[in-house]
Amino acid sequence: MATFLAACSSGHESAGDSGAAGGELGTGGAKGGGGTNSPDASAKGGAAGISTTGGTAGTSCCGSPTGTITEFAIPTADSQPSGIAVGPDGNIWFAEANGNKIGRITPSGTISEFPVPTTQSQPFDVAAGPDGNLWFTEFGSNKIGRMTPTGTITEFAVLSAGCASNFITVGPDGNLWFTEEFCNNVGRITTDGVVAEFPVPSAKSSPWDIVLGPDGNLWFTEQGGKYMGRVTPAGVVAEYPMDTGNQTCGSLVVGPDGMLWFAEGGTNKIGNMTLSGTIGSIAVPTANSDPTAITLGPDGNLWFTEESGNKIGRMTTAGTVTEFSIRTPASHPANGIVTGPDGNLWFTEYYGNNIGRISP
């Protein structure tokens, strides 16, 4: 199984396309067949989680001191949790790249796991769709998955071979949009499973994260090029050049100021960009911290993961940064952080094999 992380120099390997959609997997069962997938494992959360407090003192919106981090162990060993999203059922869902599963954690910390029918599919990111289902990318199998909140999984092949689908989000047209790192495309899939692909003009741009912008277009970062990309719902792609020192390597979010904020792992900064293309950046205090994933918190601040720094960062739009240390050493919080329905921030620990929760 190939290992992959969200970093500027990350080189990903794609597994071969295999298996068909479906598969009934009982508790701890093997893969195969056709039908419904059910959870194969669960773990106690809540009181079983381990909490620590770091950074500066403050009052949380949710009853714990600001910066209190609680970690919940994933039942499958070395599952390599990646992308994370809030589902339509009020739970938090995450992709297990090495575990080949989609995980679910309740706000109280109970974890369940759902195996993906295709073996070695390397599920990478997950998003809540407009149809009430969860949608996820399969980095290793060249497919997009659709999953009901009760666990039924259907898989759809993308058009081009060996594309390594990465991040996925909902567009203004009610479709799901995703990036194809190796094929240099942005993809679109309808809720019925019809796929279209749109080439990125710059060669070897390695499109990465993708979000819906305030202008009604989709915006995406590029690992391989010095550009920020934009694609209209009609599929017209444009690119905006970045300053020489900026590298749009990590994830992307729309800030409370309407700007695009993104993680710059290679330059150890958090960058921002107006929709007209004006660029700015703010340094992260911890050297070589490798900021990777970013989201908007319920407090109106930007929250981000520090993959090498092993911290969670909080940044105001004015540039004030506070950092909170994660208890598990070398946990590599890499590809996912999201605001949960409980008002906390939830994140994945790629090598720590935990789901983390931090109070804002």
Side-chain angles (χ1 to χ4, degrees):
M1 174 65 67
T3 296
F4 52 94
L5 295 172
C8 296
S9 60
S10 63
H12 298 345
E13 288 185 26
S14 174
D17 182 46
S18 61
E24 181 172 353
L25 308 180
T27 302
K31 303 170 178 62
T36 302
N37 291 358
S38 57
D40 75 333
S42 63
K44 294 181 180 179
I50 299 175
S51 301
T52 57
T53 303
T56 58
T59 302
S60 166
C61 70
C62 311
S64 299
T66 297
T68 299
I69 294 178
T70 306
E71 297 172 284
F72 302 92
I74 297 172
T76 298
D78 191 28
S79 69
Q80 296 179 356
S82 184
I84 191 168
V86 176
D89 56 353
N91 294 311
I92 299 96
W93 293 77
F94 55 95
E96 298 181 26
N98 196 46
N100 206 56
K101 299 173 183 177
I102 300 298
R104 180 187 65 201
I105 183 168
T106 67
S108 62
T110 300
I111 294 177
S112 301
E113 298 173 287
F114 302 80
V116 177
T118 299
T119 59
Q120 297 184 345
S121 69
Q122 295 178 286
F124 188 83
D125 191 32
V126 62
D131 56 351
N133 294 313
L134 284 305
W135 288 78
F136 59 94
T137 56
E138 298 183 17
F139 181 90
S141 64
N142 221 48
K143 297 177 181 178
I144 301 297
R146 181 184 66 200
M147 177 178 177
T148 68
T150 56
T152 301
I153 293 177
T154 306
E155 297 170 286
F156 305 93
V158 303
L159 301 180
S160 301
C163 283
S165 301
N166 284 330
F167 287 90
I168 188 168
T169 195
V170 178
D173 53 357
N175 296 314
L176 285 300
W177 291 75
F178 57 95
T179 54
E180 296 180 344
E181 182 182 4
F182 292 167
C183 291
N184 215 54
N185 296 326
V186 174
R188 181 187 67 200
I189 184 170
T190 69
T191 53
D192 293 326
V194 179
V195 177
E197 296 172 330
F198 306 96
V200 178
S202 294
K204 299 180 179 180
S205 66
S206 298
W208 192 243
D209 196 12
I210 185 167
V211 299
L212 174 61
D215 58 350
N217 295 311
L218 287 302
W219 290 78
F220 58 94
T221 53
E222 300 180 13
Q223 283 195 319
K226 297 288 187 181
Y227 296 95
M228 178 77 73
R230 183 194 68 195
V231 57
T232 69
V236 178
V237 180
E239 295 176 291
Y240 292 78
M242 311 297 289
D243 291 343
T244 303
N246 285 301
Q247 296 183 9
T248 56
C249 300
S251 70
L252 176 70
V253 72
V254 177
D257 52 3
M259 290 201 294
L260 301 170
W261 290 79
F262 50 92
E264 297 180 26
T267 58
N268 208 53
K269 297 176 181 178
I270 299 297
N272 58 57
M273 176 177 152
T274 67
L275 299 186
S276 60
T278 302
I279 299 293
S281 61
I282 300 165
V284 176
T286 298
N288 302 314
S289 68
D290 193 12
T292 306
I294 189 169
T295 196
L296 179 63
D299 54 355
N301 294 315
L302 288 308
W303 289 77
F304 58 94
T305 62
E306 300 180 25
E307 183 179 339
S308 298
N310 208 49
K311 298 176 181 179
I312 301 298
R314 179 187 65 199
M315 175 181 286
T316 68
T317 54
T320 301
V321 179
T322 307
E323 298 171 286
F324 306 92
S325 296
I326 297 172
R327 176 187 179 98
T328 300
S331 70
H332 284 263
N335 298 319
I337 185 169
V338 69
T339 296
D342 56 351
N344 292 305
L345 283 300
W346 292 77
F347 59 93
T348 55
E349 299 179 18
Y350 194 84
Y351 287 148
N353 208 51
N354 297 321
I355 300 299
R357 182 184 67 199
I358 181 169
S359 54

